[in-house]
Amino acid sequence: MQMIKPLTLSLLATGLFSAVNVSAATETTLLTCNGCSPTQMEAVTQHHLRTHKDEFIAVVDYQNEQASKFQVNPVTNKYGKTVNQLTAVELTTEEADNIKAVIEARKALVELMPESVVINPEATDGTKSHFHAHTLKTKPSFNFDYQYLYYGSFKQQVNVYDFMQASYLRNKAYHEYFGDNYATYLFSMLSKALISFKLPMDVYDGIGLHLNIQFENANQAYLGTAQVAIDPKKETFNVISASDADKNTVPVKKEDIAGQMFAFSSDDNKAAFDSYIEQFASASEKCQSVSSRQLGEVSLHAYQCNAVVSDTAAAK
């Protein structure tokens, strides 16, 4: 494991780091594992390789300012099964410099992040209201599932379903939350430093930070929550997980629907959910409630995505 010595922001300001776009053949995938031991870094790498094929992987611990790089070699074990053998290798000079730059810009960014902000996407004057409640910053902690350092929370006046489906709402929230010019500069530094790495889609970002968003209407009625990652390359928030007004886990893909029961406290809430899952339907498949029952004041529904039966087939 290589220790990453902090760079000063003056180095970032003068651009003294190597943002080199290496060839796809040797491009290194960047993963995050905060507060990790060497064994945990290897575990994160092996977990990633279950669904990806990469030759080189760098794992960064932003909390301890450390990084490890592995070369992946598929080998056949004694049972005749192909497994991934990891060999620790040195970061290239360009990679080490870029990781240092990301660490420093990321630390400065955290210090600038607002503690608690409410953003109204319908506002036209660009203003945002600050809550004066207790600070929502929290101590960084290790999360082995997502490999993010938790930072804090803010509020937004929009429905969680709309936020997940409408990219303009996520983009707008991102730019309003990080509206400071210096924050924009830091994100520019991050983007330049990250360009030499490959960031897999399911990692969401390359800086190991996430936020919690609480959604509410103008009357401060609860409309759901979401855990989001900061994506400096696309300048947006990417949703990791979410729950709606009835505390249902919001499906992020079609496979999350089957086998789950969803509870609704009102017909309006169920209608909002039905509208949301329409995105998973197609001309040949429909996603809908297949059974329901009442439990106290809520109705429970089981959903499935099933093939559409044509009138001709039904007649037969």
Side-chain angles (χ1 to χ4, degrees), residues 31-312:
L31 302 180
T32 302
C33 189
N34 288 306
C36 282
S37 66
T39 300
Q40 288 173 321
M41 284 189 168
E42 289 191 29
V44 166
T45 302
Q46 290 287 8
H47 180 76
H48 168 78
L49 291 170
R50 293 179 185 176
T51 53
H52 298 79
K53 293 182 178 179
D54 294 296
E55 184 179 358
F56 293 99
I57 295 177
V59 186
V60 184
D61 178 351
Y62 294 105
Q63 184 173 345
N64 295 313
E65 300 185 15
Q66 299 175 346
S68 293
K69 182 179 178 181
F70 303 102
Q71 182 171 3
V72 182
N73 300 295
V75 297
T76 303
N77 63 18
K78 62 181 181 181
Y79 303 106
K81 183 180 179 180
T82 300
V83 296
N84 292 305
Q85 183 181 73
L86 303 181
T87 303
V89 295
E90 291 291 312
L91 293 165
T92 67
T93 301
E94 292 82 5
E95 290 168 344
D97 286 347
N98 283 325
I99 288 175
K100 292 175 185 177
V102 172
I103 288 172
E104 285 302 303
R106 181 184 175 282
K107 285 194 299 184
L109 177 65
V110 168
E111 294 300 317
L112 290 174
M113 290 170 72
E115 294 177 357
S116 181
V117 176
V118 60
I119 300 173
N120 184 354
E122 298 178 358
T124 58
D125 58 0
T127 61
K128 50 187 179 181
S129 303
H130 291 259
F131 285 82
H132 55 272
H134 67 282
T135 176
L136 292 172
K137 289 183 179 179
T138 62
K139 182 180 179 180
S141 60
F142 172 67
N143 184 322
F144 196 75
D145 290 331
Y146 298 114
Q147 316 311 324
Y148 292 94
L149 286 179
Y150 175 81
Y151 175 75
S153 303
F154 69 100
K155 298 180 180 181
Q156 192 176 28
Q157 291 180 358
V158 66
N159 191 292
V160 63
Y161 296 130
D162 294 335
F163 185 84
M164 294 180 71
Q165 290 183 285
S167 60
Y168 85 92
L169 288 175
R170 299 191 300 275
N171 298 344
K172 183 178 177 65
Y174 177 96
H175 285 287
E176 289 182 333
Y177 188 80
F178 296 112
D180 186 274
N181 289 332
Y182 188 49
T184 302
Y185 163 76
L186 290 173
F187 275 123
S188 175
M189 295 296 100
L190 284 167
S191 296
K192 290 178 181 178
L194 289 170
I195 199 171
S196 64
F197 297 100
K198 182 169 64 174
L199 304 179
M201 290 298 293
D202 58 346
V203 174
Y204 301 99
D205 74 348
I207 59 176
L209 282 175
H210 76 244
L211 298 166
N212 283 344
I213 302 176
Q214 180 171 314
F215 302 96
E216 58 184 30
N217 61 21
N219 297 320
Q220 298 185 346
Y222 175 81
L223 297 179
T225 60
Q227 182 186 71
V228 299
I230 301 166
D231 188 338
K233 296 186 77 173
K234 296 181 180 178
E235 298 186 1
T236 192
F237 289 129
N238 294 318
V239 178
I240 300 172
S241 62
S243 61
D244 62 16
D246 289 315
K247 306 293 186 180
N248 295 301
T249 299
V250 180
V252 295
K253 56 183 183 298
K254 183 174 67 176
E255 290 73 21
D256 297 334
I257 298 175
Q260 300 294 324
M261 296 291 292
F262 298 90
F264 304 104
S265 59
S266 69
D267 291 340
D268 287 344
N269 287 1
K270 180 181 180 299
F273 180 86
D274 290 345
S275 177
Y276 171 78
I277 67 169
E278 284 181 1
Q279 66 181 306
F280 303 119
S282 65
S284 60
E285 193 174 44
K286 188 173 183 179
C287 300
Q288 60 186 356
S289 172
V290 294
S291 67
S292 65
R293 62 185 175 90
Q294 197 69 24
L295 181 65
E297 297 181 353
V298 302
S299 59
L300 296 177
H301 292 259
Y303 283 77
Q304 292 282 353
C305 293
N306 297 318
V308 176
V309 179
S310 66
D311 293 339
T312 302

